[in-house]
Amino acid sequence: MVETLRFAAIDIGSNAIRLLFSNVYETQSGPIIKKASLIRIPIRLGEDSFNLNRITEEKEAKLIKSMLAFRNLMEAYDVVSYKACATSAMRDAENGPDVIKRIFKKSGVQLNIIDGESEAELIFQTHIADALDASKTYLYMDVGGGSTEYTVFKDGEKVIARSFNIGTIRLRDNIVKEGVWDEMNTWLRMVGKKFDPDLVIGSGGNINKLFKLSSLPPMKILKNAKLKHLKEHLESFSLEDRIEVLGLRPDRADVIIPAADLFLNTLKQAKISGILVPKVGLADGIVHKLYHDYKAQNG
């Protein structure tokens, strides 16, 4: 009989928060990890953190209600364990640690603020490199509301990683700090010259939606020219029409073009021709780490 284990991952992002339930089926040939359910709530913490340098009482109240609901769901799903990670918005909020203490006191859910490189490390836990051609070099890119994480894979191994405080909400609100673009572009040009990546591996809700809009088959390469055409197509619609005509969620419609800009800039600076979109992210990495830790403790 195949044993089934269930884990939960909470991703407190700058644009939305997510609760992912995943089942791990332990088979004779090894573990198989499958997504069971995903809940997404567009709280948009970055609107507070990046503009006010703090989390407002209104957003904190929504977070507390969400964590109470998440805790009840995790109990109902009977999860083995969970981990909740907060990224750029909570990192940058001056009252972030105090908010986290109050959330734990009122909901019992412990949030962990992680830095950009830890975020990249968790995403690496998905073993995405195992599914790729080990002879090639890849630039993994995860775009969030507050930051963009990069990891270079060469010969199936992680060789370098960086995080930059450029994300879709910061771009939308025109609050990227002076010098960050230059710093990121200098790093990307270095990556292009030193490692010569074959492809970008794209992660995040925006690139997933852009790939879906491209109508390409799964795991096909989203080429530079195709992405540029998609961006121009989106720009031809007003924000309202992106919602009404294209069917985008409001919290996607206003950040998808900045995300496309980030991916196009990365392709240009690092001189890469296209993007592979395998649809993995931070929550997936958290689940892999939870299972790895479980096996280390239980054999």
Side-chain angles (χ1 to χ4, degrees):
M1 183 177 177
V2 176
E3 184 177 2
T4 302
L5 303 169
R6 184 172 291 121
F7 298 90
I10 298 173
D11 173 6
I12 308 296
S14 304
N15 194 38
I17 66 172
R18 299 171 182 83
L19 169 62
L20 171 67
F21 291 106
S22 287
N23 294 329
V24 181
Y25 304 105
E26 295 194 307
T27 70
Q28 290 184 344
S29 58
I32 298 172
I33 300 178
K34 295 286 187 182
K35 294 180 183 180
S37 181
L38 175 67
I39 297 161
R40 180 183 184 277
I41 305 174
I43 290 182
R44 313 203 93 167
L45 292 177
E47 291 182 338
D48 283 0
S49 181
F50 307 144
N51 289 286
L52 306 173
N53 296 318
R54 61 188 304 277
I55 305 298
T56 60
E57 291 182 3
E58 179 186 0
K59 300 278 186 180
E60 181 180 336
K62 289 182 178 179
L63 265 179
I64 290 170
K65 289 178 181 178
S66 299
M67 292 306 106
L68 283 166
F70 285 7
R71 187 195 67 186
N72 289 333
L73 284 169
M74 288 189 294
E75 290 177 357
Y77 267 78
D78 195 24
V79 299
V80 174
S81 61
Y82 82 92
K83 188 176 181 68
C85 292
T87 57
S88 184
M90 197 67 79
R91 282 199 301 265
D92 287 9
E94 59 186 18
N95 64 337
D98 291 331
V99 170
I100 283 175
K101 288 177 184 177
R102 289 192 289 270
I103 288 172
F104 178 70
K105 183 177 180 180
K106 294 182 179 180
S107 73
V109 175
Q110 180 63 61
L111 306 187
N112 303 276
I113 297 178
I114 60 172
D115 60 28
E117 291 205 18
S118 297
E119 194 173 344
E121 288 283 356
L122 278 167
I123 293 167
F124 183 67
Q125 290 285 334
T126 60
H127 302 293
I128 186 173
D130 297 346
L132 303 174
D133 185 341
S135 67
K136 293 185 177 181
T137 301
Y138 301 93
L139 177 59
Y140 181 92
M141 178 180 179
D142 180 71
V143 174
S147 64
T148 296
E149 323 299 333
Y150 291 103
T151 307
V152 176
F153 294 109
K154 186 176 178 64
D155 298 324
E157 299 290 336
K158 188 194 82 169
V159 293
I160 189 173
R162 278 292 299 272
S163 173
F164 296 94
N165 280 341
I166 299 180
T168 56
I169 291 178
R170 291 187 200 268
L171 286 171
R172 184 201 65 186
D173 294 347
N174 196 28
I175 52 174
V176 175
K177 290 183 179 179
E178 186 177 354
V180 179
W181 270 111
D182 288 341
E183 182 184 2
M184 185 177 76
N185 287 341
T186 298
W187 187 84
L188 286 170
R189 288 192 292 269
M190 177 278 293
V191 166
K193 290 178 181 178
K194 185 174 182 179
F195 300 105
D196 190 24
D198 295 277
L199 290 169
V200 166
I201 300 172
S203 176
N206 286 296
I207 194 62
N208 289 344
K209 177 57 71 173
L210 286 163
F211 186 80
K212 184 175 181 180
L213 291 171
S214 76
S215 299
L216 289 169
M219 297 301 285
K220 288 293 183 180
I221 307 304
L222 178 58
K223 294 289 188 179
N224 192 338
K226 180 73 170 177
L227 179 56
K228 187 176 180 181
H229 175 75
L230 276 171
K231 183 204 165 193
E232 291 170 350
H233 178 65
L234 288 165
E235 286 177 327
S236 71
F237 291 86
S238 67
L239 176 61
E240 291 76 14
D241 284 346
R242 276 178 239 145
I243 297 167
E244 294 178 13
V245 178
L246 298 181
L248 299 182
R249 292 192 308 264
D251 63 297
R252 181 70 64 212
D254 64 350
V255 293
I256 195 168
I257 291 173
D261 282 331
L262 273 169
F263 279 100
L264 286 168
N265 179 72
T266 297
L267 294 175
K268 178 182 177 181
Q269 298 296 332
K271 297 183 178 179
I272 304 172
S273 63
I275 306 168
L276 186 67
V277 187
K279 295 187 178 181
V280 296
L282 177 60
D284 302 279
I286 293 171
V287 167
H288 279 76
K289 179 69 163 59
L290 288 169
Y291 176 68
H292 179 272
D293 291 347
Y294 170 83
K295 294 302 290 184
Q297 293 174 7
N298 297 277

